[in-house]
Amino acid sequence: MAFEIQIPSSLTVGGGSFAEVGSVLQRLGCKRPLIVSDRFLQRQGLVDKLSALMTEAGIESGVFADTVPDPTTKVVAAGLTAFQAGRHDSLVSLGGGSPIDTAKAISMLAGNGGTPRLYKVPNAPPKYGPPHIAIPTTAGTGSEVTRFTVISDSESQEKMLIAGSPLLPTAAIVDYELTMTMPPRLTADTGTDSLTHAIEAYVSRRANDFSDIFALAAMKTIWRQLPRAYHEPDNKDAREAMMLAATQAGIAFSNASVALVHGMSRPIGVHFHVPHGLSNAMLLPTVTAFSVQAAPRRYAECARAMGIASYTDSEEESATKLIDALYERNRELQVPSPKAFGISEEQYLSLIPTMAAQAMASGSPNNNPRIPTADEICALYRQAWG
Ligand SMILES: [Fe+2]
């Protein structure tokens, strides 16, 4: 079966690669970029540092630092206004998934006009927008290498998934030194998001021989290195390995898709404001236990790549070891259940049918090895509660 692979045209990877931003922009012929970031990174001085690096390269930039977690149509519209008012020719996003997702949407609207709603799945933006260089500061969402963005409608609160090649950043700069100050909770949550990307890309019905390589490499690294990065925040080797693996996992799922964990995780995030990586972690062991019977060989390969099982274990034994290890890992990384997170039980239980419908509508459950019914999704939400 034919498949198409899409990755940014250039990835600059390694400690200190942040300083290469000027030459990356010059290579792309960008003369007037708009930096898209957030207030936190601006206060940290990182936005100024980025703009100084550009000035050194003779490039004048503007700043839009009003992005918010879970980017909204309102913020994207403000960013587009700043882009047009400043006569910018390109975007440089700096931050976690939210500034990168915001810049993707600004580039899309600059190139295509209209509003984000016009392009939500199953529609797609037809034309490429201005160049976008993504610089992640978490290890993480993988957004720097994916052709997706998620924008919340400021009116209806709906989280709209937008997919297509024009969303793919033109270039990415992947510098682990930017992640050294991430606190342990953020390290655990963004790292588990990456692990979920790798596992879901590998077991996805849309996996291919290319995405498999990236998925296996990523899960192998993340499984070993995430506890080190979590317990020893200053461990440069662990940070470096996690950063590269998060990008590899991003390449894997951008080219193979995610599946049921992400489908069920997004509604928990919307209704209860649980950070994305954390809601994935809350669901990963339970959903894996539900799914293994449909792809025992694939899950066994995951367990082997992660060093949890060996080739002397049967597929069934390997899958059991994988599920046990995922529960154990959640304990180690102090992942709370929805109940322990402080969500109201009454509200959670009453929203289960709505969340199940939203999960189904996202399309992600159809990529899962075991395709669930709405009732099965409801049961999984109940199972994950306590
Ligand atoms: Fe994710």
Side-chain angles (χ1 to χ4, degrees), residues 141 193 197 253 262 276 280:
T141 64
D193 186 28
H197 294 155
F253 92 85
H262 271 76
H276 173 70
N280 281 342

